[in-house]
Amino acid sequence: MSTKDYLEKDYYKALGVTKTAKPAEIKAAYRKLARKYHPDSNQGDAKAEARFKEISEAYSVLSDEKRRKEYDEARSLFGGGFRVPTGTRPGQGGFGGFDLGDIFGGAGDAAGGLGDLFGGVFNRGRTTAQNRPRRGADVETETTLSFGDAIDGTTVALRLTGEGPCPTCHGTGAKAGTVPRMCPSCQGTGQSSRNLGSFGISEPCKECRGRGLVVDDPCPACSGSGRAMSSRTIQARIPAGVADGQRIKLPAKGAPGERGGPAGDLYVRVHVKPHPVFGRSGSDLTVTVPVSFAELTLGAEVKVPSHRGAPVTVRIPPGTPNGRTFMVRGKGVRRKDGTSGNLLVTVEVMVPKDLNSKARSAIEDLREATAGQDPREELLERAKEA
Ligand SMILES: [Zn+2]
Ligand SMILES: [Zn+2]
């Protein structure tokens, strides 16, 4: 059987059943006809033999749910307007690789590459040697989250762009109103054979690039390739606590599989927008808090902001050095196990630019009172060490 057979032959008519016939009806019709036209009871009757082949072929397709669907789709897609290429001989080749054992065994895949050929027309636009399902490709994309959404987790809409059947020509590659014709070079098989001395090799047909079909009037949208970039939008759940630059795997959200194969995986590279106040270090949040010299020297209780919560009070003991980091437990990023990281508060002295006269004289008094203490004395001493 070839592509041409699918498009030219009316298998329903051959079995005398309707297009909506149930599998049992098809089986019963086939049995009745097969008995009548079987070569054993019609010795030497060429007409009966041809008829027997016809009904056997029809049954092999219509009794297989998958192939029946392909056949129906092919015929509705090409609308019966399929042009038979000149130079081919109708009735020839159609019965070629057909195995009667498969008809009687019932479950065989007699046509071999046929499903693949049609899979090719509808899916990828090229034939492969196997009829096996193929897993979809892994897809990589990226998304940018706000600082808070990265901490809390969120659902984002991801627009994925990938190659799929051209929507204008439904993947046939042919201009509207026309249909591809069977490749005359390979008779629709997509394969050509070459003899190399004593052995022959089979390779994809050059004429149709393995597709089995050639297009006379290419679809203007896809230039006849039958493929087009299309995009779809999916909703992806981003778990809580993702970090900037992290890659998240979303299983089976990648490209759809072919011929019933599983979908590929989707990898999402996450970018996190910086927060104006908070930083992140793993599951800890960081914040730098301005303090005055007096607060560090004399000690103080200072209010520091927490992320999405009320400010917390941090007690600064007297004599705290500038740049010291305090830890506020449990005010960081919530972890998977339900525990939370900490808030790391770093104090930073703010030096006032404008001083009122009272403050100015107080600082001048301080300078005077501490005149005997050189803050660099120790540094200068230690610099002398070898
Ligand atoms: Zn070809
Ligand atoms: Zn197209």
Side-chain angles (χ1 to χ4, degrees):
M1 278 179 281
S2 68
T3 312
K4 191 162 72 69
D5 291 317
Y6 260 23
L7 300 168
E8 283 181 350
K9 293 182 182 176
D10 191 338
Y11 292 145
Y12 291 103
K13 204 174 152 196
L15 292 181
V17 294
T18 64
K19 284 193 172 68
T20 53
K22 299 233 163 34
E25 281 176 68
I26 291 170
K27 194 173 184 178
Y30 165 68
R31 282 210 172 139
K32 198 174 150 216
L33 292 166
R35 226 174 288 132
K36 189 174 170 190
Y37 292 106
H38 198 279
D40 286 357
S41 40
N42 296 278
Q43 292 286 333
D45 184 343
K47 257 189 183 168
E49 193 189 323
R51 181 83 177 99
F52 180 73
K53 284 177 178 176
E54 184 190 25
I55 59 177
S56 301
E57 187 182 338
Y59 182 68
S60 77
V61 172
L62 298 186
S63 62
D64 183 319
E65 201 185 309
K66 194 176 148 228
R67 281 161 64 190
R68 183 179 177 182
K69 208 172 145 235
E70 284 172 357
Y71 173 71
D72 289 343
E73 278 174 359
R75 287 183 70 86
S76 70
L77 182 65
F78 292 101
F82 189 80
R83 281 171 291 167
V84 180
T86 50
T88 60
R89 292 150 292 177
Q92 269 249 322
F95 205 66
F98 202 69
D99 181 359
L100 288 177
D102 281 316
I103 306 168
F104 295 112
D109 185 7
L114 199 96
D116 186 65
L117 186 59
F118 269 85
V121 173
F122 297 121
N123 295 316
R124 242 200 178 326
R126 56 187 291 260
T127 11
T128 56
Q130 296 100 352
N131 195 14
R132 270 188 255 122
R134 195 189 304 168
R135 184 178 175 275
D138 289 343
V139 176
E140 183 135 7
T141 187
E142 49 189 0
T143 189
T144 300
L145 304 180
S146 73
F147 188 84
D149 282 347
I151 289 174
D152 301 337
T154 185
T155 300
V156 292
L158 298 173
R159 202 172 156 81
L160 304 178
T161 305
E163 211 189 34
C166 167
T168 305
C169 61
H170 305 287
T172 67
K175 196 173 165 183
T178 73
V179 287
R181 62 188 166 88
M182 189 178 74
C183 173
S185 178
C186 62
Q187 300 285 301
T189 63
Q191 298 286 317
S192 66
S193 300
R194 219 157 32 110
N195 283 323
L196 286 178
S198 55
F199 61 96
I201 59 161
S202 190
E203 57 187 8
C205 170
K206 286 198 177 69
E207 196 79 19
C208 60
R209 271 171 285 151
R211 205 177 158 199
L213 297 171
V214 288
V215 171
D216 294 318
D217 302 307
C219 162
C222 64
S223 311
S225 71
R227 306 290 294 167
M229 296 303 281
S230 64
S231 59
R232 63 197 164 105
T233 302
I234 65 152
Q235 301 295 317
R237 180 75 204 157
I238 306 292
V242 292
D244 185 43
Q246 197 174 324
R247 196 164 170 255
I248 295 164
K249 179 181 175 179
L250 299 169
K253 294 274 194 181
E258 286 176 27
R259 293 183 286 277
D265 298 327
L266 174 64
Y267 291 92
V268 184
R269 176 84 59 188
V270 177
H271 303 286
V272 181
K273 280 187 209 151
H275 191 277
V277 167
F278 296 101
R280 276 229 353 235
S281 172
S283 57
D284 291 337
L285 289 179
T286 60
V287 63
T288 296
V289 176
V291 289
S292 70
F293 173 72
E295 283 171 332
L296 288 191
T297 309
L298 304 174
E301 290 197 337
V302 299
K303 266 190 179 168
V304 303
S306 72
H307 189 247
R308 288 193 179 157
V312 290
T313 301
V314 173
R315 202 185 68 81
I316 296 169
T320 294
N322 182 44
R324 180 161 165 192
T325 298
F326 294 86
M327 189 173 79
V328 183
R329 286 194 185 278
K331 293 288 180 185
V333 179
R334 205 171 165 76
R335 300 189 191 100
K336 262 189 201 142
D337 62 3
T339 63
S340 290
N342 308 311
L343 176 62
L344 304 178
V345 179
T346 302
V347 292
E348 186 179 62
V349 170
M350 296 310 285
V351 176
K353 279 197 181 102
D354 299 306
L355 290 174
N356 60 36
S357 59
K358 194 183 170 192
R360 184 171 188 87
S361 88
I363 296 215
E364 282 166 354
D365 287 351
L366 174 69
R367 182 171 62 185
E368 215 168 288
T370 57
Q373 302 168 17
D374 183 356
R376 288 165 294 279
E377 190 177 4
E378 196 194 333
L379 176 82
L380 293 166
E381 277 305 312
R382 284 174 61 185
K384 288 174 189 161
E385 287 172 20

